[in-house]
């Protein structure tokens, strides 16, 4: 029995949200901070269960990405994780397919910061690597974020994108991208 559902954060109860957070801490082998979890909240979650419980999570939240003089409404994907014993069985793809549907309808583009080990997973789904400079709109102005360059991926939307141009994200606590 596989059950995949999408729901806004506001429609999920505290126990489900806590199960998702714990799943992500495990999926990232402990390298998933309180800020990382905060970044995954306030948008649409995709969750997949089997008979043993929750086995996968991903969410998409709104951010503004500055590009070519515009502040684009971006669906930013966060908290993508599948329980280790259920990987390579299509669950990550099913989660992403659900969120890509949300992105296609609700946002001008999709974007995410890929962990090194997940870049091939996103590329195989048609996400394009951003090849231009990346930066952040910090409280003291725009600052380059060179450590993220090569790890940002975007998903087609209505926005006209030049992946060799500059992409600037809005500000937040924790990892900026
Ligand atoms: C990345 C992750 C979510 C993928 O979930 P999954 O359920 O294993 O993904 P799928 O089974 O749908 O994989 C679909 C395809 O993506 C590619 N893929 C998935 N994991 C891959 C990996 N580790 N390396 C290379 N390609 C990979 C493969 O082409 C795979 O198809 P195949 O199994 O037929 O070869 C999962 O490995 C995970 O939770 N990793 C730890 C947390 C993490 O890194 N999250 C991403 C942060 S940006």
């Amino acid at each position: 029995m596989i059950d995949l559902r999408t729901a806004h954060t506001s429609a999920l109860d505290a126990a489900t949200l806590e199960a998702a957070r714990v799943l992500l801490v495990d999926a990232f082998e402990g390298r998933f901070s309180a800020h990382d979890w905060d970044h995954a909240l306030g948008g649409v979650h995709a969750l997949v269960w089997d008979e043993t419980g929750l086995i996968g999570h991903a969410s998409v939240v709104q951010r503004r990405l500055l590009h070519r003089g515009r502040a684009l409404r971006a669906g930013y994907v966060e908290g993508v994780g599948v329980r280790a014993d259920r990987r390579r069985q299509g669950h990550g793809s099913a989660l992403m397919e659900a969120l890509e549907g949300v992105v296609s309808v609700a946002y001008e583009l999709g974007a995410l910061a890929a962990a090194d080990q997940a870049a091939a997973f996103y590329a195989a789904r048609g996400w394009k690597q951003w090849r231009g400079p990346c930066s952040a709109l910090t409280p003291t102005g725009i600052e380059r974020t060179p450590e993220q360059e090569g790890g940002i991926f975007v998903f087609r939307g209505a926005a006209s994108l030049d992946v060799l141009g500059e992409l600037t994200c809005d500000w937040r606590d924790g990892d900026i991208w």
Side-chain angles (χ1 to χ4, degrees):
M1 177 219 59
I2 298 297
D3 182 19
L4 189 148
R5 278 183 250 162
T6 56
H8 191 268
T9 306
S10 63
L12 295 172
D13 61 30
T16 303
L17 288 169
E18 177 60 8
R21 190 190 66 78
V22 169
L23 173 96
L24 290 168
V25 170
D26 288 346
F28 286 91
E29 299 176 348
R31 295 186 299 276
F32 189 81
S33 70
H35 285 311
D36 295 333
W37 176 237
D38 177 78
H39 296 163
L41 300 175
V44 176
H45 302 253
L47 302 132
V48 62
W49 290 263
D50 71 3
E51 53 288 343
T52 67
L54 187 67
I55 58 168
H57 171 275
S59 60
V60 59
V61 300
Q62 181 173 316
R63 299 188 74 181
R64 291 286 167 179
L65 296 182
L66 310 186
H67 178 60
R68 298 173 88 187
R70 289 209 48 221
L72 299 168
R73 187 178 68 256
Y76 201 79
V77 172
E78 291 282 0
V80 181
V82 171
R83 209 173 71 194
D85 63 325
R86 299 305 309 270
R87 290 180 191 160
R88 303 305 284 260
Q89 296 168 32
H91 300 304
S93 299
L95 291 165
M96 288 303 297
E97 188 178 349
L99 295 189
E100 287 156 5
V102 173
V103 166
S104 298
V105 175
Y107 300 102
E108 293 178 277
L109 77 160
L112 58 80
D116 289 347
Q117 69 274 13
F121 167 70
Y122 298 117
R125 302 196 53 74
W127 288 71
K128 301 282 181 236
Q129 184 186 39
W130 197 267
R131 290 158 55 208
C134 295
S135 52
L137 185 54
T138 79
T140 52
I142 292 179
E143 287 179 23
R144 278 286 288 277
T145 54
E147 66 286 353
Q148 292 297 332
E149 290 173 6
I152 306 302
F153 284 72
V154 294
F155 187 75
R156 66 180 156 65
S160 157
L161 302 174
D162 168 14
V163 296
L164 297 175
E166 183 163 5
L167 192 65
T168 305
C169 65
D170 56 16
W171 183 242
R172 64 184 189 182
D173 293 333
D175 285 344
I176 186 68
W177 280 102

